[in-house]
Amino acid sequence: MKFFEYMAKEVFRERGIPTPRGRVAATPEEAARVAAEVGGPVAVKSQVLAGGRGKAGGIRFADTPDQARQVAADLLGQEVRGYRVERVLVEEKLRIDRELYLGIAVDTGRKLPLVIASVHGGVNIEEVPEKDIVKRPVDITLGLYPYFARGIARRLGLEGAVARQFADLLTRLYRIFRDYDAELVEINPLVISGDRLIAADGRLNIDDDSRFRHEDLPEVSEATELEQRVREIGLSYVELDGDIAVMANGAGITMATIDVLAEYGGRAMNFLDAGGGAAVEPMAKAMAVLVSTNPKAIFVNIFGGITRCDDVANAIVTVKQQQGIPVPLVVRLVGTNEDKGVAILREHGIEAFRDMGEAARKAVELARQGGER
């Protein structure tokens, strides 16, 4: 579970990690009040569970409360990186002298916390050359002692008061990591402003398997509105950036479907796993959702085991009869009750393929034709 930035910073402040002055706002008027309380220029930051907000126009600056009101009005209700903005964080605009990166993640290979730090902050850590990144595993039986943190500060070339602040901040960050059963806690950038270190941004991702130990934590979903709608049907759905809608049965075959589309030059619009044994009604609802996304083509790839091919065929026919399928539809059916499923589709003028590669090639071809039959 991912925390919004403002939630992560609330935890940071509670644990003594400096953050910019400010707070979250849900309306333009509230944003103006916060800006007035802060005084001076402010940053107005959309609160969405996605990176790259600045490049997407989700972080803006305002010099006055009135400007903050207008900026908040522009951001609230808009989409940033596919997520609807429901809150903005209004906080003081920092004077930035240097930007560092500091994070602690789970090293799944060694099964240990891994401290990651760099003098190149404010950018994705994946874009930083490996030679400029300091990585140190933490022995979980010993914990993170001040000497360990001071060693990281030295590797970054920090000195004096800033180095002491860094060491103190890192030990506090590790305590958050352990107490919250985090998968990731990150400050990017960790800003040097004069002689102060300030967490200008913050991430805190909690291990879902530890939620029973943290019943007091709020429930945060990173699903988009469309993803949530499909999940309420009981199916797994993730939005992607292609133009061919995909439905398959099982995570493995769904990923294989996305891969084979890419092999033939196509791009999947989504990941929709109908699972094993999904009934006609939820599958019909899922098909209806795919139609509503306005793809250039729809590719249904079913390898019937528990999932019966005739149930899939009936779901497709239900959608066709009730609302129509205005885009090209490619169906591949193999497995349990395959002959019945193929016969049902043929009765309604829908061709069914047996070979996944052939079906994928056809879907890509139709999508390239701009959705024309």
Side-chain angles (χ1 to χ4, degrees):
M1 182 182 72
K2 297 179 181 178
F3 274 23
F4 288 101
E5 176 192 3
Y6 77 91
M7 299 168 66
K9 285 181 172 177
E10 287 173 358
V11 175
F12 290 174
R13 283 193 292 271
E14 290 172 1
R15 298 303 184 95
I17 294 176
T19 64
R21 292 178 295 114
R23 56 186 172 86
V24 71
T27 66
E29 290 70 27
E30 189 177 2
R33 288 196 297 272
V34 176
E37 293 170 6
V38 171
V42 295
V44 183
K45 310 171 75 174
S46 57
Q47 295 300 283
V48 293
L49 298 173
R53 292 173 299 166
K55 293 180 180 178
I59 299 176
R60 303 182 193 176
F61 299 99
D63 293 325
T64 67
D66 284 341
Q67 287 182 11
R69 178 187 292 107
Q70 184 57 55
V71 170
D74 292 342
L75 289 175
L76 290 167
Q78 299 301 310
E79 283 199 356
V80 173
R81 297 294 188 190
Y83 293 90
R84 182 181 175 84
V85 180
E86 297 181 352
R87 297 180 182 85
V88 292
L89 177 60
V90 182
E91 59 184 21
E92 64 177 310
K93 183 179 180 181
L94 298 173
R95 189 195 87 192
I96 299 175
D97 296 324
R98 291 178 64 190
E99 293 181 318
L100 310 177
Y101 173 92
L102 180 61
I104 305 173
V106 175
D107 184 329
T108 54
R110 287 182 281 192
K111 298 180 175 62
L112 291 171
L114 181 69
V115 174
I116 307 169
S118 176
V119 293
H120 299 293
V123 297
N124 291 333
I125 191 64
E126 292 83 3
E127 299 174 2
V128 177
E130 193 68 24
K131 63 182 179 63
D132 294 331
I133 301 175
V134 178
K135 296 181 179 180
R136 290 289 183 272
V138 180
D139 185 334
I140 203 165
T141 62
L142 298 176
L144 195 155
Y145 281 90
Y147 75 86
F148 181 102
R150 290 193 295 270
I152 300 287
R154 282 194 297 272
R155 285 293 309 275
L156 296 179
L158 303 179
E159 299 176 341
V162 170
R164 289 191 293 273
Q165 288 179 60
F166 180 91
D168 178 70
L169 188 150
L170 177 52
T171 57
R172 292 175 187 272
L173 200 66
Y174 179 76
R175 198 65 260 159
I176 292 171
F177 180 86
R178 293 288 288 123
D179 290 348
Y180 279 80
D181 293 303
E183 293 180 333
L184 171 70
V185 59
E186 177 185 84
I187 302 174
N188 185 27
L190 175 59
V191 165
I192 299 178
S193 181
D195 60 354
R196 296 190 304 152
L197 277 179
I198 304 173
D201 200 350
R203 292 179 64 186
L204 179 58
N205 298 353
I206 310 299
D207 186 340
D208 288 337
D209 291 334
S210 72
R211 288 303 307 279
F212 71 95
R213 288 205 290 249
H214 305 283
E215 295 180 356
D216 57 323
L217 293 181
E219 187 70 40
V220 180
S221 173
E222 60 182 305
T224 65
E225 291 182 14
L226 180 58
E227 289 170 345
Q228 189 60 40
R229 185 154 42 111
V230 180
R231 290 176 189 179
E232 288 171 358
I233 300 171
L235 305 177
S236 298
Y237 185 92
V238 178
E239 289 188 74
L240 302 175
D241 60 359
D243 52 20
I244 301 174
V246 170
M247 180 169 73
N249 62 317
I253 192 172
T254 307
M255 289 188 287
T257 302
I258 293 170
D259 287 343
V260 76
L261 285 173
E263 179 69 19
Y264 291 109
R267 295 182 304 127
M269 192 174 193
N270 65 276
F271 172 103
L272 173 54
D273 172 14
V280 173
E281 183 178 357
M283 292 192 73
K285 289 181 179 178
M287 272 294 299
V289 169
L290 293 185
V291 171
S292 72
T293 60
N294 298 315
K296 291 185 178 178
I298 297 175
F299 183 20
V300 178
N301 186 16
I302 301 297
F303 188 90
I306 300 175
T307 302
R308 292 167 35 180
C309 292
D310 55 328
D311 283 345
V312 175
N314 282 323
I316 293 171
V317 169
T318 296
V319 174
K320 183 178 181 181
Q321 292 176 336
Q322 291 181 354
Q323 70 179 68
I325 302 177
V327 297
L329 171 66
V330 178
V331 181
R332 183 251 186 165
L333 279 183
V334 177
T336 305
N337 290 353
E338 173 186 339
D339 292 339
K340 289 182 180 179
V342 170
I344 292 169
L345 292 178
R346 283 178 178 166
E347 285 177 13
H348 294 84
I350 301 172
E351 181 183 4
F353 292 80
R354 288 185 54 85
D355 181 81
M356 181 166 68
E358 184 182 354
R361 189 185 299 110
K362 184 67 173 178
V364 172
E365 176 187 325
L366 292 171
R368 283 176 176 166
Q369 293 172 4
E372 297 179 5
R373 290 186 182 277

